[in-house]
Amino acid sequence: MAAREVGLDLHGRLRASLGDNPVECRVFDVYATRYKGSQFDVSALIPQVYLHFDPATALARRTVGQNGSPLARQRMDFLILFSDRHRVVLEVDGKQHYATGDIASPALYSEMVSEDRRLRLSGYEVYRFGGAELMADDADEMLAQFFDQLDNRMR
């Protein structure tokens, strides 16, 4: 199988892991346009990542005395792997992140920000996007600009 076919096959399998979530698919598709015309020198964007499998995360948990136990929020929407061990988590937040039904939940919000702090202390940068902002007409442009700015910052 040629390199391009392998890349397209991998892209298809990664995108399929998002199911029918339109906002996560939008993030993935905008990022994928960065590969067009390149020699695949763009940092990897991996959807639906279980961070407790990341060796760096396991080491960090052992270092701070967590006995290698999984993080409270194990699955992240996206992980971007940059060089020099820079790791960036992207989260797409629907109301389930901060509400019970249609009612805001301070307890859910507190759990989310607490886990974000723990992720940051484990060496991850965390960026959150609201589902509503990703449904806006200009979301593709906003995401492309974000990815450009993030890439410039990491290089």
Side-chain angles (χ1 to χ4, degrees), residues 51-121:
L51 292 183
H52 66 271
F53 289 114
D54 182 343
T57 304
L59 176 62
R61 287 193 316 272
R62 284 192 301 275
T63 302
V64 296
Q66 296 177 29
N67 299 321
S69 63
L71 299 167
R73 284 187 0 251
Q74 296 176 13
R75 189 191 58 77
M76 298 296 131
D77 294 329
F78 297 96
L79 175 65
I80 302 177
L81 300 172
F82 290 94
S83 61
D84 300 319
R85 298 175 50 97
H86 286 109
R87 289 169 165 78
V88 173
V89 170
L90 303 181
E91 280 290 297
V92 176
D93 293 344
K95 68 180 179 179
Q96 76 277 10
H97 287 267
Y98 54 81
T100 302
D102 289 329
I103 299 172
S105 170
L108 282 177
Y109 180 77
S110 294
E111 289 173 21
M112 181 178 66
V113 296
S114 174
E115 191 59 26
D116 282 359
R117 285 192 306 272
R118 189 152 59 125
L119 280 171
R120 287 184 186 110
L121 290 172

Side-chain angles (χ1 to χ4, degrees), residues 6 8-18:
V6 170
L8 290 172
D9 181 61
L10 177 59
H11 171 85
R13 288 184 287 137
L14 290 173
R15 191 172 194 289
S17 74
L18 299 172

